[in-house]
Amino acid sequence: RDGGLYIHVDQPDQIGRYLFARLDAGAIRPLAASIRRPLLYLKVCAPADAVRPLLPPRWEIAAPGYMMTAPLSVMLDRPAAFPAEFELRIMYNDYITFAHIFDAAGEETARGRIVAVDDLIVFDRIRTADHYQRRGLGSAIMRALAAEARLSGVEDAILCATPAGRELYTSLGWSLHSDYTT
């Protein structure tokens, strides 16, 4: 839609997002000028200094992001392991697979989701609660989702990482594809 891939997110913090695999001034400039609704995002595989000139002054650029890729096999070298007091639950909703880890009190400690798009598995919304970080739960979510993704027959994965997430994903064998500007 409008020169990019549009994803309707329908969450309180994000209505939707337009994704551009490359810097396309002919599509991005008019789209950005036409968007007046808050919480509708443009995401471009390019550095912020290249995207900024295409945006109207009212637009804000978020913290840097990174488009990363990996073969699923790099995450399947060992199982999704985490302390016994946690429980992993996998759920399905149409074409989306969700993974959640809960503590003994039933509080969600980590989560993520995947979807197959053409010949890629897209990892999305990977989160670990602040007070549960550095306990292997993010890695466990990624490995559990990779195991589920393997069933699709797709071999390769893609995701957008924050600076903090980039560290985790690199440790799991992911590689930088490009800077990513939101």
Side-chain angles (χ1 to χ4, degrees), residues 76-173:
L76 298 172
D77 60 350
R78 53 184 184 214
F82 47 90
E85 68 265 20
F86 295 98
E87 177 188 1
L88 172 68
R89 294 183 203 156
I90 303 291
M91 294 171 267
Y92 309 91
N93 184 352
D94 295 326
Y95 52 89
I96 303 171
T97 301
F98 299 87
H100 301 269
I101 297 177
F102 297 92
D103 66 11
E107 179 184 349
E108 182 182 80
T109 61
R111 67 169 183 219
R113 63 186 181 184
I114 55 171
V115 63
V117 177
D118 297 328
D119 59 347
L120 289 172
I121 297 293
V122 179
F123 283 69
D124 189 38
R125 300 248 182 210
I126 309 300
R127 301 279 187 271
T128 301
D130 290 344
H131 55 288
Y132 283 103
Q133 292 184 358
R134 306 273 182 226
R135 296 178 71 179
L137 299 176
S139 296
I141 284 288
M142 293 296 291
R143 286 190 169 96
L145 287 169
E148 292 294 317
R150 179 184 51 201
L151 303 174
S152 71
V154 176
E155 302 284 328
D156 296 309
I158 192 165
L159 60 73
C160 181
T162 63
R166 181 180 179 184
E167 188 177 314
L168 166 66
Y169 306 132
T170 299
S171 76
L172 293 171

Side-chain angles (χ1 to χ4, degrees), residues 23-26 28-30 32-33 42 44 49-56 59:
L23 191 66
D24 181 351
I28 295 167
R29 188 184 317 270
L42 294 178
V44 184
D49 60 350
V51 175
R52 166 51 64 208
L54 306 179
L55 304 176
W59 280 76

